[in-house]
Amino acid sequence: VGKNNAYTTTLIATDTEGTDIDYSIVSGSLPSGITLNNETGVLSGTYTGSDFNTTNLVIRAVDTGGNTVDRTFTIFSSNPVWTTTSITGFFPSTAYSFQLVATDNSSITYSIVSGTLQTGLSLSSSGLISGTTSVTSTNNITFRATDSVGNYSDTTLSIGPSIVTSSLRLWYSSSSYSTGSNTITDLSGNAYHGTKRSGITVGGSTGSQYLLFPNDSAGSPHNQLIHIPKTAIVGQTNWTAEFWINHTTTNNLQTLFHGGGGTDNRNLMGFQGPNSWWAGTRISTTTSIATPNVPTANADHHVVWVLNSSSNTSKIYVDGSLLLTYSIPSGDSTLAENTTDQNVYVVGQELDTNNVDLTSFVQTDVNPYPQEFTGKLYGMRLYSKALSDSEISQNYSAGKHA
């Protein structure tokens, strides 16, 4: 039986006395749209129901004397059967391909019934989705697999970025970086493009590029930093800062991310020595937190900082797992940097002791103030919401070049 195709077959039973024979279904049921003519034994109609593989029927033949005989029949679906149940997410502005698969005893042609692929992606008749897109939406699409005689089956699947895009404000990844340019392209579509200083170089090959922050032995911290437009998340009380990094072994206190300078340096994040992370919302009141032994230096790590005004907490995640939670102290808040003396967030720059007092923030006096970040930055994202555990796990699974 083929879906939406006219179907007919005739059941035949013989009787030695030559009497008329009637047919009936004893058990099982016919696919929707198919009927049995009890007098002629003809099965006919057009199947329009849900896809099926096989249906077992017991059909009885009875003569005019009431003598009966039963036989079991199996009706097979001749529609293609989908084996693809989900589509792998894509990375914006990166070459992508995914093969749809349905099985049948003849060749299959694939098409789209409803919905559209993101601009830049296309579907071939052989079922290959390919191309490059900068679109970050998730689309629901109904695909059709049609065999050589016109039988077909439909399935509805979602296709979208490999990462969480809800409330995504800023997105830097490997395709954001270009050798010879200091502009860092925002892939979120919000145009929060960053600017790197000349001390930062681009490493890696196409599709796996990163920014390299050198060890600043020359003492020029202002030459190896990134400026990010503060308007990306300024004023938010629920927000998330997410990074993929590989930091170089050091005994210094280092700053990865902060609110842009001045006497009110909100939203600091960095690490103390080679294996300990710290974060806080305002140096003047926040007590530091330390996370010993995680993450190890000279290795790739996914690090996420979540600030949530509903629970009045700040959380640090490393490699997809919650490392610790701390409560925001009284008199402080989760508010994203809102000072007017700087209009940018800063990645990688050291802090100046003339501007801030770290005595209540740093647990161990390794250095008098945080030094610049040294190592690789694969990518970062800012969200105007507090990501959940499952969302952070999804982003971690997407990998460092997502």
Side-chain angles (χ1 to χ4, degrees), residues 163-356:
I163 65 161
V164 176
T165 57
S166 171
S167 301
L168 178 62
R169 300 288 292 168
L170 176 147
W171 182 355
Y172 298 160
S173 186
S174 59
S175 55
S176 299
Y177 318 133
S178 176
T179 302
S181 173
N182 288 330
T183 298
I184 302 174
T185 303
D186 178 14
L187 303 178
S188 73
N190 296 318
Y192 293 123
H193 307 304
T195 303
K196 72 176 183 67
R197 295 288 176 85
S198 58
I200 300 173
T201 57
V202 178
S205 57
T206 302
S208 58
Q209 292 172 297
Y210 56 82
L211 297 181
L212 180 62
F213 293 70
N215 192 340
D216 183 32
S217 58
S220 302
H222 293 282
N223 197 39
Q224 56 179 73
L225 58 86
I226 297 172
H227 278 166
I228 298 170
K230 188 174 291 185
T231 47
I233 55 169
V234 68
Q236 298 292 326
T237 57
N238 292 289
W239 58 284
T240 300
E242 178 183 20
F243 304 87
W244 267 102
I245 64 163
N246 184 318
H247 73 286
T248 304
T249 300
T250 176
N251 289 321
N252 291 339
L253 186 69
Q254 293 191 6
T255 301
L256 177 61
F257 177 75
H258 71 83
T263 57
D264 186 21
N265 266 286
R266 291 180 182 269
N267 316 131
L268 290 163
M269 183 181 188
F271 50 91
Q272 178 179 326
N275 301 317
S276 180
W277 279 91
W278 51 263
T281 56
R282 189 189 304 173
I283 285 178
S284 59
T285 60
T286 301
T287 302
S288 69
I289 59 171
T291 57
N293 303 320
V294 179
T296 54
N298 301 303
D300 297 338
H301 291 289
H302 179 244
V303 181
V304 184
W305 185 22
V306 179
L307 291 105
N308 190 324
S309 64
S310 299
S311 59
N312 202 38
T313 58
S314 178
K315 298 179 178 181
I316 292 180
Y317 295 76
V318 174
D319 296 339
S321 299
L322 176 63
L323 194 61
L324 64 97
T325 302
Y326 70 94
S327 297
I328 304 298
S330 176
D332 210 338
S333 75
T334 60
L335 181 68
E337 172 73 32
N338 205 26
T339 56
T340 57
D341 58 337
Q342 296 283 343
N343 61 359
V344 293
Y345 284 98
V346 181
V347 176
Q349 181 190 11
E350 70 175 32
L351 296 182
D352 190 334
T353 52
N354 293 329
N355 288 337
V356 298

Side-chain angles (χ1 to χ4, degrees), residues 55-240:
T55 294
N56 294 318
L57 300 171
V58 177
I59 297 180
R60 175 168 295 169
V62 55
D63 63 16
T64 55
N67 301 305
T68 65
V69 64
D70 297 341
R71 176 162 291 186
T72 300
F73 296 89
T74 300
I75 297 181
F76 295 89
S77 168
S78 58
N79 297 344
V81 176
W82 281 96
T83 57
T84 297
T85 58
S86 62
I87 298 177
T88 302
F90 55 77
F91 297 159
S93 303
T94 302
Y96 170 82
S97 66
F98 182 87
Q99 180 65 52
L100 299 174
V101 178
T103 60
D104 193 78
N105 56 8
S106 67
S107 60
I108 296 176
T109 300
Y110 297 85
S111 60
I112 293 176
V113 178
S114 64
T116 57
L117 288 168
Q118 289 81 355
T119 301
L121 299 182
S122 61
L123 172 68
S124 71
S125 60
S126 62
L128 182 67
I129 301 172
S130 62
T132 302
T133 182
S134 59
V135 179
T136 60
S137 63
T138 296
N139 298 355
N140 293 320
I141 301 174
T142 299
F143 297 94
R144 175 166 293 174
T146 306
D147 67 18
S148 59
V149 296
N151 302 317
Y152 65 84
S153 294
D154 297 339
T155 187
T156 300
L157 302 170
S158 296
I159 179 171
S162 57
I163 65 161
V164 176
T165 57
S166 171
S167 301
L168 178 62
R169 300 288 292 168
L170 176 147
W171 182 355
Y172 298 160
S173 186
S174 59
S175 55
S176 299
Y177 318 133
S178 176
T179 302
S181 173
N182 288 330
T183 298
I184 302 174
T185 303
D186 178 14
L187 303 178
S188 73
N190 296 318
Y192 293 123
H193 307 304
T195 303
K196 72 176 183 67
R197 295 288 176 85
S198 58
I200 300 173
T201 57
V202 178
S205 57
T206 302
S208 58
Q209 292 172 297
Y210 56 82
L211 297 181
L212 180 62
F213 293 70
N215 192 340
D216 183 32
S217 58
S220 302
H222 293 282
N223 197 39
Q224 56 179 73
L225 58 86
I226 297 172
H227 278 166
I228 298 170
K230 188 174 291 185
T231 47
I233 55 169
V234 68
Q236 298 292 326
T237 57
N238 292 289
W239 58 284
T240 300

